[in-house]
Amino acid sequence: KAFIVESLRTHNPILAMNAAMTLAQRDDELWAGLRPHRPLSPDQLAIEGSRLAQTILRVRAVAAGPTFADARDEYLKKPRSRQMLNEVALATDFAAAVIGNPPLSDIKRAQGKSILEAMLKTGWKTMTVKRRIAALSAIFATGILEYELELKNPFSSLAIPDLGKDAKVVQPFDEDELRTIASSCLIDGEAGWIAGLQTNTGLRVSEAAFLQMADVHMNAEIPFIDIKANVKRRLKNAASARKIPLLGVSLLTTQLALAGAASGSLWLFPDLVSCGSNVASKTVNLWLKKTIGGEPHSHQFRHSCETRLRNAGVHQGIVNAILGHTGAERVADGYFKGYDLEILREALSRIALPY
């Protein structure tokens, strides 16, 4: 006899059982509508046809298994950083435009490569493409784990041609530029004060711009700032939480900011805090452009600080502690709780610019 075979498309016994039951229900409804002793009016036939179509769609969905969107939703059930949420949104929207929202079982290596190739044609930097492929890989891995699927990850170990070769190399400020910044930063308000604070500390612009009054300890034996997470700023990594001594122009600009802040202000730089991190970065960059010319970027302070500290013979572990880098030494020595402020102060004194 002729017969029809319909695959359940899963190795999972629970999903297979659900799919088989739904198929059986569909067949029962189909035969019930075809029996001659139960004539149906055109309106009833239309209703039954709609029900049957919905049943078939449900069967196909169950048999096909969870989709990539389902895996994404599972991935997002755990807390993720704002940066990661942004990467997931950009990566999944792009992938959906290329392959739609197929079941995980239908996404093969060829689909992974097609998404990669499409990303490379957008003009995104190769390191950006790497991050977004990594986000897709993490989502797919979550789907495999949570739905107990026996699948290979089509985004794993995809080769990105010339990875990193298109990255823009960030150069440190030279000594003349740093001295011009140090001599100009005292009179231009918050943008100049932040640049002055970054000069001898290597702070990220968000770490400087979103300091709270309580993070500044001017009356300590060694004046310092305490970098920690707050409602306006997340920390990039665990090593980013740190205490940094203030010397030279960084000490003076912090004093000016304290004196200039309104009474009762929570923030050291209240005007820029109200604008957000992107505006703060652009504001400091514009101040730098006006001061030294060219196309400078506030992130160059970090490169400058590391370069000058290493040239001054400072141990790499101390450099990592000042800049908030996760170094091999910090990971390996689980008992190490951080350098004393005096050691950090001595290291920074080797490079601190006066005002």
Side-chain angles (χ1 to χ4, degrees), residues 148-160:
E148 300 180 330
L149 303 175
E150 297 178 8
L151 299 174
K152 291 183 178 180
N153 191 329
F155 303 104
S156 176
S157 302
L158 284 176
I160 301 175

Side-chain angles (χ1 to χ4, degrees), residues 10 12 15 65-66 104-105 143-151:
T10 180
N12 187 301
L15 292 177
L104 294 176
S105 57
I144 292 174
L145 176 66
E146 297 299 331
Y147 296 110
E148 300 180 330
L149 303 175
E150 297 178 8
L151 299 174

Side-chain angles (χ1 to χ4, degrees), residues 34-46:
L34 296 176
R35 289 185 182 121
H37 66 274
R38 187 184 168 196
L40 299 175
S41 67
D43 288 344
Q44 289 174 318
L45 282 172

Side-chain angles (χ1 to χ4, degrees), residues 92-110:
T92 54
D93 287 349
F94 189 90
V98 177
I99 64 170
N101 181 36
L104 294 176
S105 57
D106 285 353
I107 304 177
K108 306 299 183 185
R109 192 71 170 178

Side-chain angles (χ1 to χ4, degrees), residues 145-294:
L145 176 66
E146 297 299 331
Y147 296 110
E148 300 180 330
L149 303 175
E150 297 178 8
L151 299 174
K152 291 183 178 180
N153 191 329
F155 303 104
S156 176
S157 302
L158 284 176
I160 301 175
D162 298 323
L163 179 62
K165 291 184 179 180
D166 56 352
K168 182 179 179 180
V169 178
V170 179
Q171 298 292 341
F173 294 120
D174 61 36
E175 287 295 322
D176 289 339
E177 289 172 330
L178 286 171
R179 292 187 182 281
T180 300
I181 291 168
S183 63
S184 306
C185 66
L186 306 180
I187 57 174
D188 285 338
E190 290 189 354
W193 296 341
I194 289 172
L197 177 55
Q198 289 182 278
T199 299
N200 290 340
T201 61
L203 289 174
R204 300 175 178 93
V205 69
S206 63
E207 293 173 339
F210 297 145
L211 280 168
Q212 294 183 326
M213 291 292 204
D215 299 331
V216 182
H217 301 268
M218 301 300 289
N219 296 324
E221 182 178 350
I222 298 175
F224 70 95
I225 51 176
D226 191 2
I227 304 300
K228 52 192 176 184
N230 58 44
V231 295
K232 285 288 187 177
R233 180 229 300 132
R234 295 174 182 266
L235 295 182
K236 186 173 183 179
N237 51 53
S240 296
R242 63 201 191 279
K243 295 178 173 63
I244 306 178
L246 295 172
L247 295 87
V249 68
S250 295
L251 176 62
L252 182 57
T253 49
T254 303
Q255 291 171 331
L256 291 173
L258 286 169
S263 177
S265 173
L266 176 65
W267 304 97
L268 185 61
F269 303 106
D271 291 344
L272 287 181
V273 164
S274 64
C275 297
S277 59
N278 288 336
V279 172
S281 179
K282 290 178 181 178
T283 301
V284 175
N285 291 344
L286 286 172
W287 183 90
L288 289 169
K289 183 175 183 178
K290 180 189 73 172
T291 303
I292 61 174

